[in-house]
Amino acid sequence: MGEAVEIFLSNGLSCDDADLKLEESLKKCSWYEEVIDEDLKWSFALNSILHRGTSKYQDIALLDTKPFGKVLVIDGKMQSAEMDEFIYHECLIHPTLLIHPKYPRTVFIMGGGEGSAAREALKHQSIEKVVMCDIDQEVVDFCRRYLTANQEAFCDKKLHLVINDAKAELEGREEKFDVIVGDLADPVEGGPCYQLYTKSFYERVLKPKLNHNGIFVTQAGPAGVLTHKEVFSSIYNTLKHVFTHVLAYTAHVPSFADTWGWVMASDQPFTLDVKEIDSRIEERINGELLYLNGASLLASTAMNKTVYLSLLNETHVYTEEDARFIHGHGVAYRA
Amino acid sequence: MGEAVEIFLSNGLSCDDADLKLEESLKKCSWYEEVIDEDLKWSFALNSILHRGTSKYQDIALLDTKPFGKVLVIDGKMQSAEMDEFIYHECLIHPTLLIHPKYPRTVFIMGGGEGSAAREALKHQSIEKVVMCDIDQEVVDFCRRYLTANQEAFCDKKLHLVINDAKAELEGREEKFDVIVGDLADPVEGGPCYQLYTKSFYERVLKPKLNHNGIFVTQAGPAGVLTHKEVFSSIYNTLKHVFTHVLAYTAHVPSFADTWGWVMASDQPFTLDVKEIDSRIEERINGELLYLNGASLLASTAMNKTVYLSLLNETHVYTEEDARFIHGHGVAYRA
Amino acid sequence: MGEAVEIFLSNGLSCDDADLKLEESLKKCSWYEEVIDEDLKWSFALNSILHRGTSKYQDIALLDTKPFGKVLVIDGKMQSAEMDEFIYHECLIHPTLLIHPKYPRTVFIMGGGEGSAAREALKHQSIEKVVMCDIDQEVVDFCRRYLTANQEAFCDKKLHLVINDAKAELEGREEKFDVIVGDLADPVEGGPCYQLYTKSFYERVLKPKLNHNGIFVTQAGPAGVLTHKEVFSSIYNTLKHVFTHVLAYTAHVPSFADTWGWVMASDQPFTLDVKEIDSRIEERINGELLYLNGASLLASTAMNKTVYLSLLNETHVYTEEDARFIHGHGVAYRA
Amino acid sequence: MGEAVEIFLSNGLSCDDADLKLEESLKKCSWYEEVIDEDLKWSFALNSILHRGTSKYQDIALLDTKPFGKVLVIDGKMQSAEMDEFIYHECLIHPTLLIHPKYPRTVFIMGGGEGSAAREALKHQSIEKVVMCDIDQEVVDFCRRYLTANQEAFCDKKLHLVINDAKAELEGREEKFDVIVGDLADPVEGGPCYQLYTKSFYERVLKPKLNHNGIFVTQAGPAGVLTHKEVFSSIYNTLKHVFTHVLAYTAHVPSFADTWGWVMASDQPFTLDVKEIDSRIEERINGELLYLNGASLLASTAMNKTVYLSLLNETHVYTEEDARFIHGHGVAYRA
């Protein structure tokens, strides 16, 4: 602003620096506003609206925001942000692939149309095939075209992209997988993905498609001190009714304005050793991780006391008949 | 949304219409937010950010908004909106040109870099020359390039564009004008345009450049019931100390969230007759006006009782020494 | 903030004035936000939330805002603001009472539970009886209790308060009135007041209850350049099908962020003379008006060219069968 | 809303349920808006503004918000929220008191005027004396009066409340403490607390006041993946230059919209054993903790890879001469 001051003075006009400062603070005037909950909103200063699209089901936009970089928004809900999506996607993909006792070769991703989950899975040298099954062709096309960080993954020959309902696809396939990943919208009553979180789906459709030693992992919604009872504790408890070993873990994702949860489940016990995880990261993964290392992976499985007790005492199980209704969340379709 | 419902059902998922409706209402998520005053803000849903620029002095943006169409924003302050800028610019330009007893031939515009004031003046068949004197080359270039409604005007050979401080330019010129127009930012202490609203400027610099029968008109800031004392009444009163005849008039400009004021001043009396104005509009102006006709022009000069009394009783005169400080307004430079 | 600086210095801490200024500008942090339209919002800085209530139908709140003083909010829609409600209510009540050729004695107000319409009517010395018929007891009680400006009116023996549906009440009454006032929510399809704006209601229910020389006046929704086609032009046109003489007029109400419209209708012609109106104000009204005088009343009946043409060309008539749907407006019940 | 529908129907008016739903979603109209950073804001729906005060230095307010309960706001910055302040204050106080090898008896709190830090310290049975030294009498009075959760602590005879600058107070005292706690605003250049984070302050003023085995702990600002370099890594590194053993730990605080950081420092090594911590919690603390247990305390010391590397590689040291300037944060005075 130095020049501005000069010019004003050359006009014979004086100029109050404090006022310029004030003006500066008011200048950020284009905002993306997200309704996190009906009583909580948040707003990011916008640089520009990069792209807009519409699918049969949904509005899609790619916004360039000041605090979080490029942000993918589907039906008014932020899906992921350039500056911190690595937290969500590293946590979604790497723990199971690292904990898996053998070198995992095949992965099935339910949803994941953004391409980031596939991108992370393809970093594992042992991976031979990633099936990504998303229902929305236009979202996939939009992300393939505009999310430059995932373009290499979208072109990888190991990636098999299928446009279908994940349940129908799993039922129709004969093969089994080493790891199955749920990268779907939260299980909201009436939402598009509810069915893919029920005990019967896990038991009858999903589990039979896991190889021996196979692991299932799913995103499990907000897991903060104030929000973990919305769906996180129920997903955890539902999986405990289907698998012998279940492990919940969490991480704070800044652009979600919350701590997020994931749950992995298997009939084999999980072994986590900080050094072993660190050496497997070294050995198995091409390129560098930004969020996970052995210590933080282990720490992510330690719940604080409030969440610990909720997981311990949760009794709700997702069934087709007994949906737990979560107000105001989840119409957006992350699948 | 019918198709969405269909699809969800084909997935075996039920779908709550009311929730879709709710989601719909939350979907408008990119906003332009303007701080009108420090205790009053307003927000327009955004379609896109069309263009951005930076001048030596200012940030410039052209936004595509849902409620007001394309909107020009300079340093975080909205300057004009596609859907209602005609109100401001018709009121700024036509009343003086219509009331002028002879066919006015020359116009000098202080500021007006956006080009809309010039566009309106050039609609008068009698006009031979419009000098538009704005200080900011980049703002002028930006508007010439992107404001399609003004492109014809910017190319008109009758338009003489000068990049200079309006005071210096008027002082340096020898010619006189039939009409001089002030299309400048409000006279805020420390603001860039304060000097161009003072009694001494009017007396020594501006008035000598008016032809016999010449009329000066200036935008005069907000003129609403709650805001007319900020600058409107003082501008009116200051001009009463310099010219024999002074006439204030107002119009509500929706995108400004307020009634706006203008003041015209001359040493010749003004004659307003509804029918005469209507026939001069017919006769003198190429194309159609959208806001003004004889009746509304006359009505715009009738103040409500509160504003009437304030104009009557105002004692403040803008001088270089006695600036009236208006908090929180006007650092933006509309010139 | 001078003291703060001192103290900080006495602690050996330096203190950046510009930062304090910045902080100052961010300090206004409690806001009332109104969704004017789905793509337009506005926000007033809040001093406090004075009172809250709930009626059988509606949420009621009285907020103390910085820009507009105390503000009455019903179901999330601002109804009126201390600092400018006089504009709306003077325009609703006085023009008919002043234009009425005889000294009007009786007034029937449909809606008006806030009490301000009654307050204005009771200023006319000739008034002997004001019937105010509102459907919501709790809103009336809330306003009687908390809107101090109307407490005298609520206690006036000339005021007859009835809690009932306005249509049922008019149908059930035998007496006729000099003036009937519509102070109701806009005629939105599915809204509570739609029926009270239809041709058949005016013809069969309302008009028979007007005395000879009687005048009906109704608020008629937003009448700005961008909004007057929502309901204003249709109300005007509907009344033209029922009464011989119809007169539309408008005023900008700052806290409504728009110009507002009213329509009066009678089978007697209206005579407006500036001086006559001024002398009737003097003569008939106790106390001072703040907005209306003869000149501004007359000016308020002059439409700008855009609105003028819309009124002229409007063909829609409100009937029970052909409701005009106005999106996003009017579920709130101003009645 | 069932009743509303009934009533409308009894009026003969139909009523669109979807519209009511829409209206419902727009009804939350009073908001507290916090500017987290200049490009990031967040808004909580407000129930009411409970109390307002002004101290010599600062504005104070207690708001009742829907998402976070009662919220204390000082100079427009949220200080703590009823529903999750236990996370911040348990993490600030208990780790040092639990890790301390002997039963700690004395605590000195720099800042902490809200009273919550003292409340947590007083839960330890071994504590004999808590000195709380805050600079702002009015903030302390406001919190003592309105923060009901802390009223017992404010009345505790073990609490010694001093209104003074923390540095002056520590310098003037002769006694030493088992634990010193920094509950101050972030070390922003020009901010009120900068000096209390410098190497020389730690070395010359603070460390001499620690008993043998004594531990210092300070809040250390935001520690999220995107924000930990603002002050967290520098505070950590500065303390490494003053103490032999330094330990950073973090927790996500929902109402802060970020992960928060703390650093403890001592010349004795820290020993953390999950079982030992759990048994000390059992043994030493009156009442239940809500956030911390042995596992989560240990986990809170494991940084993710990004933050881990930043702490490892940080070279900045806070000195009086080399302030690190953090834009837009911290003028508010949490002390």
Side-chain angles (χ1 to χ4, degrees):
Chain A
M1 296 299 271
E3 282 190 307
V5 174
E6 246 174 76
I7 286 288
F8 293 159
L9 293 177
S10 78
N11 290 343
L13 299 170
S14 69
C15 186
D16 186 346
D17 268 35
D19 263 18
L20 284 177
K21 186 98 187 186
L22 177 67
E23 188 63 13
E24 190 77 355
S25 80
L26 305 178
K27 204 186 288 182
K28 316 292 171 191
C29 55
S30 296
W31 297 90
Y32 164 72
E33 178 178 278
E34 185 175 42
V35 177
I36 299 176
D37 211 339
E38 61 173 19
D39 55 8
L40 186 61
K41 300 185 298 187
W42 92 327
S43 302
F44 312 159
L46 270 182
N47 285 319
S48 60
I49 298 171
L50 295 170
H51 303 289
R52 286 219 154 172
T54 322
S55 85
K56 258 183 303 183
Y57 321 100
Q58 312 176 82
D59 272 357
I60 322 166
L62 188 66
L63 310 177
D64 184 12
T65 75
K66 287 180 208 291
F68 298 116
K70 291 177 194 166
V71 152
L72 179 70
V73 176
I74 299 187
D75 273 351
K77 299 294 270 187
M78 201 199 57
Q79 303 302 305
S80 76
E82 189 182 19
M83 285 175 66
D84 65 9
E85 57 93 358
F86 69 88
I87 304 175
Y88 174 88
H89 290 106
E90 288 191 9
C91 289
L92 178 67
I93 295 299
H94 296 299
T96 47
L97 292 180
L98 291 169
I99 284 171
H100 195 282
K102 301 283 170 56
Y103 292 95
R105 293 177 307 106
T106 57
V107 174
F108 185 94
I109 300 169
M110 306 191 288
E114 176 187 330
S116 306
R119 178 197 68 210
E120 293 301 318
L122 290 163
K123 287 182 179 168
H124 282 253
Q125 292 160 12
S126 63
I127 291 299
E128 294 167 5
K129 181 180 193 178
V130 173
V131 178
M132 172 176 124
C133 175
D134 198 289
I135 203 169
D136 194 326
Q137 178 81 55
E138 281 87 352
V139 165
V140 171
D141 289 347
F142 186 94
C143 294
R144 177 159 42 192
R145 187 160 170 200
Y146 296 123
L147 300 187
T148 47
N150 299 346
Q151 276 171 353
E152 199 178 332
F154 272 116
C155 295
D156 196 309
K157 287 187 176 157
K158 295 172 188 163
L159 179 67
H160 298 243
L161 172 59
V162 184
I163 303 299
N164 194 7
D165 169 53
K167 189 187 168 207
E169 183 66 22
L170 274 180
E171 283 171 334
R173 285 198 168 240
E174 308 237 323
E175 73 202 294
K176 297 186 174 196
F177 296 88
D178 292 334
V179 168
I180 299 180
V181 176
D183 190 13
L184 301 157
D186 291 346
V188 179
E189 196 179 16
C193 298
Y194 181 82
Q195 220 185 28
L196 305 175
Y197 288 89
T198 56
K199 181 165 175 281
S200 70
F201 169 74
Y202 291 145
E203 235 162 24
R204 295 182 212 162
V205 180
L206 188 143
K207 198 173 168 180
K209 301 298 178 187
L210 279 175
N211 284 324
H212 178 69
N213 281 331
I215 311 179
F216 169 61
V217 65
T218 182
Q219 81 85 15
V225 161
L226 305 175
T227 52
H228 65 282
K229 287 185 178 172
E230 293 180 9
V231 297
F232 179 57
S233 58
S234 292
I235 293 172
Y236 174 80
N237 190 50
T238 302
L239 284 166
K240 280 208 301 185
H241 282 73
V242 180
F243 292 89
T244 320
H245 301 279
V246 177
L247 186 65
Y249 57 103
T250 66
H252 172 231
V253 183
S255 67
F256 289 3
D258 211 344
T259 286
W260 215 252
W262 299 263
V263 181
M264 66 172 85
S266 178
D267 281 345
Q268 307 301 316
F270 303 121
T271 317
L272 282 91
D273 176 84
V274 169
K275 286 196 181 148
E276 176 65 19
I277 296 291
D278 278 331
S279 75
R280 289 184 183 180
I281 288 174
E282 194 70 30
E283 207 184 297
R284 296 186 180 183
I285 293 179
N286 289 323
E288 292 287 319
L289 299 188
L290 294 170
Y291 187 78
L292 285 175
N293 54 20
S296 63
L297 197 163
L298 193 66
S300 74
T301 66
M303 301 295 117
N304 63 67
K305 191 176 165 193
T306 292
V307 175
Y308 172 78
L309 290 174
S310 296
L311 293 187
L312 195 67
N313 298 323
E314 180 62 69
T315 58
H316 177 261
V317 171
Y318 280 110
T319 63
E320 309 244 329
E321 298 75 34
D322 176 21
R324 171 166 291 193
F325 183 68
I326 305 302
H327 181 67
H329 272 284
V331 176
Y333 189 30
R334 184 185 297 134
Chain B
M1 297 298 272
E3 284 191 302
V5 173
E6 245 173 79
I7 285 290
F8 293 158
L9 293 178
S10 79
N11 290 341
L13 299 169
S14 68
C15 186
D16 186 347
D17 268 35
D19 263 16
L20 284 176
K21 187 98 186 186
L22 177 68
E23 188 64 11
E24 190 76 357
S25 81
L26 305 178
K27 205 185 290 182
K28 317 293 172 189
C29 53
S30 295
W31 297 89
Y32 163 72
E33 178 179 278
E34 185 174 43
V35 177
I36 298 175
D37 211 339
E38 60 173 20
D39 54 9
L40 185 61
K41 301 186 297 187
W42 91 329
S43 302
F44 312 159
L46 269 183
N47 285 318
S48 59
I49 298 171
L50 295 170
H51 304 288
R52 289 221 150 168
T54 322
S55 84
K56 258 183 302 183
Y57 320 101
Q58 312 175 84
D59 271 357
I60 322 166
L62 188 66
L63 309 178
D64 184 12
T65 74
K66 287 180 207 289
F68 298 117
K70 290 176 193 168
V71 152
L72 179 70
V73 177
I74 299 187
D75 273 352
K77 298 294 269 186
M78 200 199 56
Q79 302 303 305
S80 77
E82 189 182 20
M83 284 175 66
D84 66 7
E85 58 93 358
F86 69 88
I87 305 175
Y88 174 88
H89 290 107
E90 288 191 11
C91 289
L92 177 67
I93 295 299
H94 297 299
T96 47
L97 292 179
L98 291 168
I99 284 170
H100 196 281
K102 301 283 169 56
Y103 292 95
R105 294 178 306 104
T106 56
V107 175
F108 185 93
I109 300 168
M110 306 192 289
E114 176 187 329
S116 306
R119 179 197 67 209
E120 292 302 317
L122 290 163
K123 287 183 179 169
H124 282 254
Q125 292 161 13
S126 64
I127 291 298
E128 294 166 5
K129 182 182 193 177
V130 173
V131 178
M132 172 176 124
C133 176
D134 198 289
I135 204 171
D136 193 327
Q137 178 81 57
E138 280 86 353
V139 166
V140 172
D141 288 347
F142 186 94
C143 295
R144 175 157 44 191
R145 186 159 170 200
Y146 296 122
L147 300 187
T148 48
N150 298 346
Q151 277 172 352
E152 199 179 333
F154 272 116
C155 296
D156 195 310
K157 287 185 176 160
K158 295 172 187 165
L159 179 67
H160 299 243
L161 172 60
V162 184
I163 303 299
N164 193 6
D165 169 54
K167 188 185 170 209
E169 183 66 23
L170 275 179
E171 284 173 333
R173 285 197 167 240
E174 308 235 324
E175 71 200 297
K176 297 184 175 197
F177 295 88
D178 293 334
V179 168
I180 299 180
V181 176
D183 189 14
L184 301 157
D186 292 344
V188 179
E189 197 179 15
C193 298
Y194 180 82
Q195 221 185 28
L196 305 175
Y197 288 90
T198 57
K199 181 164 176 281
S200 70
F201 169 73
Y202 289 145
E203 235 161 25
R204 294 180 212 162
V205 180
L206 188 146
K207 198 173 167 179
K209 300 299 178 186
L210 278 175
N211 283 323
H212 178 71
N213 283 330
I215 312 179
F216 170 60
V217 65
T218 182
Q219 80 86 16
V225 161
L226 305 175
T227 52
H228 64 282
K229 288 183 177 173
E230 293 181 10
V231 298
F232 179 59
S233 58
S234 292
I235 293 172
Y236 174 80
N237 189 52
T238 302
L239 284 166
K240 282 207 299 185
H241 281 74
V242 180
F243 291 90
T244 321
H245 302 279
V246 177
L247 186 66
Y249 58 103
T250 66
H252 171 230
V253 183
S255 65
F256 289 2
D258 211 345
T259 285
W260 215 251
W262 299 263
V263 182
M264 66 171 83
S266 178
D267 281 345
Q268 306 300 316
F270 303 121
T271 318
L272 280 93
D273 176 83
V274 170
K275 286 196 181 149
E276 176 66 19
I277 297 290
D278 278 330
S279 75
R280 288 184 185 181
I281 287 173
E282 196 69 30
E283 208 183 295
R284 294 184 182 185
I285 292 179
N286 289 323
E288 293 287 319
L289 298 188
L290 294 170
Y291 187 80
L292 286 175
N293 54 21
S296 63
L297 197 162
L298 194 66
S300 75
T301 66
M303 301 294 118
N304 64 66
K305 192 175 164 192
T306 292
V307 175
Y308 171 78
L309 290 174
S310 296
L311 293 186
L312 196 66
N313 298 323
E314 179 62 69
T315 58
H316 177 260
V317 169
Y318 279 109
T319 63
E320 310 243 331
E321 299 75 35
D322 176 21
R324 172 166 290 193
F325 181 69
I326 306 302
H327 181 67
H329 272 286
V331 175
Y333 189 32
R334 182 181 304 129
Chain C
M1 297 298 273
E3 284 190 303
V5 173
E6 246 174 77
I7 284 290
F8 292 162
L9 294 176
S10 79
N11 290 342
L13 299 168
S14 70
C15 186
D16 185 348
D17 267 36
D19 264 17
L20 284 175
K21 187 96 187 189
L22 177 68
E23 187 64 11
E24 191 76 357
S25 80
L26 305 179
K27 205 185 291 182
K28 317 292 172 189
C29 53
S30 296
W31 297 89
Y32 163 72
E33 178 179 279
E34 185 175 41
V35 177
I36 299 176
D37 211 338
E38 62 172 19
D39 55 8
L40 186 60
K41 301 187 296 188
W42 89 329
S43 302
F44 312 160
L46 270 183
N47 285 319
S48 59
I49 298 170
L50 295 170
H51 303 289
R52 288 221 151 170
T54 323
S55 84
K56 258 184 301 182
Y57 320 100
Q58 312 176 83
D59 271 358
I60 322 166
L62 189 66
L63 310 177
D64 184 12
T65 74
K66 287 180 207 289
F68 298 116
K70 289 176 194 167
V71 153
L72 179 70
V73 177
I74 300 187
D75 273 350
K77 299 293 271 185
M78 200 198 58
Q79 303 303 304
S80 76
E82 189 182 20
M83 285 175 67
D84 66 8
E85 59 92 357
F86 69 88
I87 305 176
Y88 175 89
H89 290 107
E90 288 192 11
C91 288
L92 177 67
I93 294 298
H94 297 299
T96 47
L97 292 179
L98 291 168
I99 284 171
H100 196 281
K102 302 282 169 56
Y103 292 95
R105 294 177 304 106
T106 56
V107 175
F108 184 93
I109 300 169
M110 305 192 289
E114 177 187 329
S116 306
R119 178 198 67 209
E120 292 302 317
L122 290 164
K123 288 182 179 168
H124 282 253
Q125 292 161 14
S126 63
I127 291 299
E128 294 167 6
K129 181 182 194 177
V130 173
V131 178
M132 174 176 123
C133 176
D134 198 289
I135 203 170
D136 194 328
Q137 178 81 56
E138 280 87 352
V139 166
V140 172
D141 288 348
F142 186 94
C143 294
R144 176 158 42 192
R145 186 160 170 201
Y146 296 123
L147 300 187
T148 47
N150 298 346
Q151 277 171 353
E152 199 179 331
F154 273 115
C155 297
D156 195 312
K157 287 186 177 160
K158 295 173 187 163
L159 179 67
H160 298 243
L161 173 59
V162 183
I163 302 299
N164 194 5
D165 169 53
K167 189 186 168 207
E169 183 66 21
L170 274 179
E171 284 173 333
R173 285 198 168 241
E174 307 236 323
E175 73 202 296
K176 297 186 175 197
F177 296 88
D178 292 334
V179 169
I180 299 180
V181 176
D183 189 14
L184 301 157
D186 292 345
V188 179
E189 197 178 14
C193 298
Y194 181 82
Q195 221 185 28
L196 305 176
Y197 287 90
T198 56
K199 182 165 175 280
S200 70
F201 169 73
Y202 289 145
E203 237 163 22
R204 295 182 211 161
V205 180
L206 188 145
K207 199 172 166 180
K209 301 299 179 187
L210 279 176
N211 282 325
H212 179 70
N213 283 330
I215 311 179
F216 169 61
V217 64
T218 181
Q219 79 86 16
V225 161
L226 305 175
T227 52
H228 65 282
K229 288 184 179 172
E230 293 180 8
V231 297
F232 180 57
S233 58
S234 291
I235 294 172
Y236 175 79
N237 190 52
T238 301
L239 284 165
K240 281 208 301 186
H241 282 72
V242 180
F243 292 90
T244 320
H245 301 279
V246 177
L247 187 64
Y249 57 103
T250 66
H252 171 230
V253 183
S255 65
F256 289 2
D258 211 344
T259 285
W260 215 250
W262 300 263
V263 182
M264 66 172 83
S266 178
D267 281 345
Q268 306 301 316
F270 303 121
T271 317
L272 281 93
D273 177 84
V274 170
K275 286 197 180 146
E276 176 65 18
I277 296 291
D278 278 331
S279 76
R280 288 185 184 180
I281 288 173
E282 195 70 29
E283 210 183 293
R284 296 186 181 183
I285 293 178
N286 289 323
E288 293 286 321
L289 298 188
L290 294 170
Y291 187 79
L292 286 175
N293 54 21
S296 63
L297 197 163
L298 194 65
S300 73
T301 67
M303 301 294 117
N304 63 67
K305 191 176 164 193
T306 291
V307 175
Y308 171 78
L309 290 175
S310 296
L311 293 187
L312 196 66
N313 298 322
E314 181 62 71
T315 58
H316 177 260
V317 171
Y318 279 109
T319 63
E320 309 243 330
E321 298 75 34
D322 176 22
R324 173 166 289 195
F325 182 68
I326 305 303
H327 181 67
H329 272 286
V331 176
Y333 190 30
R334 183 183 301 132
Chain D
M1 295 298 273
E3 283 191 305
V5 173
E6 246 173 77
I7 285 290
F8 292 159
L9 293 177
S10 78
N11 289 343
L13 299 170
S14 69
C15 186
D16 185 345
D17 267 35
D19 263 16
L20 284 177
K21 185 97 187 187
L22 178 68
E23 188 63 12
E24 190 77 354
S25 80
L26 305 177
K27 206 185 288 181
K28 318 291 171 190
C29 55
S30 295
W31 297 89
Y32 164 71
E33 178 179 279
E34 185 175 41
V35 177
I36 299 176
D37 212 338
E38 62 171 21
D39 54 9
L40 186 61
K41 300 186 298 187
W42 88 330
S43 302
F44 312 159
L46 270 183
N47 285 320
S48 60
I49 299 171
L50 296 169
H51 304 288
R52 286 219 154 172
T54 322
S55 85
K56 256 184 304 182
Y57 320 101
Q58 312 176 82
D59 272 358
I60 322 166
L62 188 65
L63 310 177
D64 184 11
T65 74
K66 287 181 207 288
F68 298 116
K70 290 177 195 167
V71 152
L72 179 70
V73 177
I74 299 187
D75 273 352
K77 299 293 271 185
M78 200 199 58
Q79 302 303 304
S80 75
E82 190 182 17
M83 284 175 64
D84 66 6
E85 58 93 357
F86 68 88
I87 304 175
Y88 175 88
H89 290 106
E90 287 191 11
C91 289
L92 177 66
I93 295 299
H94 297 299
T96 47
L97 292 180
L98 290 168
I99 285 170
H100 196 282
K102 300 283 170 54
Y103 293 96
R105 294 176 305 106
T106 57
V107 175
F108 184 95
I109 300 169
M110 307 192 287
E114 176 187 329
S116 306
R119 177 198 69 210
E120 292 302 317
L122 289 163
K123 288 182 180 168
H124 282 253
Q125 290 161 15
S126 63
I127 291 299
E128 294 167 4
K129 181 181 195 178
V130 173
V131 178
M132 173 176 124
C133 175
D134 197 290
I135 204 169
D136 194 327
Q137 178 80 57
E138 281 87 353
V139 166
V140 171
D141 288 347
F142 186 93
C143 294
R144 175 156 45 191
R145 188 160 168 200
Y146 295 122
L147 300 188
T148 47
N150 298 346
Q151 276 172 353
E152 198 178 334
F154 273 115
C155 296
D156 195 310
K157 287 187 177 157
K158 295 172 188 164
L159 179 67
H160 298 243
L161 173 59
V162 184
I163 302 299
N164 193 7
D165 168 53
K167 189 186 168 206
E169 183 65 21
L170 274 179
E171 284 173 335
R173 284 196 169 242
E174 308 236 324
E175 72 201 295
K176 297 185 175 197
F177 296 88
D178 292 334
V179 168
I180 299 181
V181 175
D183 189 14
L184 301 158
D186 291 345
V188 179
E189 196 179 16
C193 298
Y194 181 83
Q195 219 184 30
L196 306 175
Y197 288 89
T198 56
K199 181 165 175 280
S200 71
F201 169 73
Y202 290 144
E203 235 162 25
R204 295 181 212 160
V205 181
L206 188 144
K207 197 172 168 181
K209 300 299 178 186
L210 279 175
N211 283 324
H212 178 70
N213 283 330
I215 312 179
F216 169 60
V217 64
T218 180
Q219 80 85 15
V225 161
L226 306 175
T227 51
H228 65 282
K229 287 184 178 173
E230 293 180 9
V231 298
F232 180 57
S233 58
S234 291
I235 293 172
Y236 174 79
N237 190 50
T238 303
L239 284 166
K240 282 208 300 186
H241 282 73
V242 180
F243 291 90
T244 320
H245 301 279
V246 176
L247 187 66
Y249 58 104
T250 67
H252 172 231
V253 183
S255 65
F256 289 3
D258 212 346
T259 287
W260 215 251
W262 299 263
V263 182
M264 67 171 83
S266 178
D267 281 345
Q268 306 301 316
F270 303 121
T271 317
L272 281 92
D273 176 83
V274 170
K275 286 197 181 149
E276 176 65 20
I277 296 290
D278 278 332
S279 75
R280 287 185 184 181
I281 287 174
E282 195 70 29
E283 207 184 297
R284 296 186 181 183
I285 293 178
N286 289 323
E288 293 287 320
L289 298 188
L290 294 170
Y291 186 79
L292 286 175
N293 54 20
S296 63
L297 198 163
L298 194 66
S300 75
T301 67
M303 301 293 118
N304 64 68
K305 191 175 165 193
T306 292
V307 174
Y308 171 78
L309 290 174
S310 295
L311 293 187
L312 195 67
N313 298 322
E314 180 63 71
T315 58
H316 177 261
V317 171
Y318 279 110
T319 63
E320 309 243 330
E321 299 75 35
D322 175 22
R324 170 167 291 194
F325 182 68
I326 304 301
H327 182 66
H329 272 286
V331 176
Y333 189 31
R334 183 183 300 134

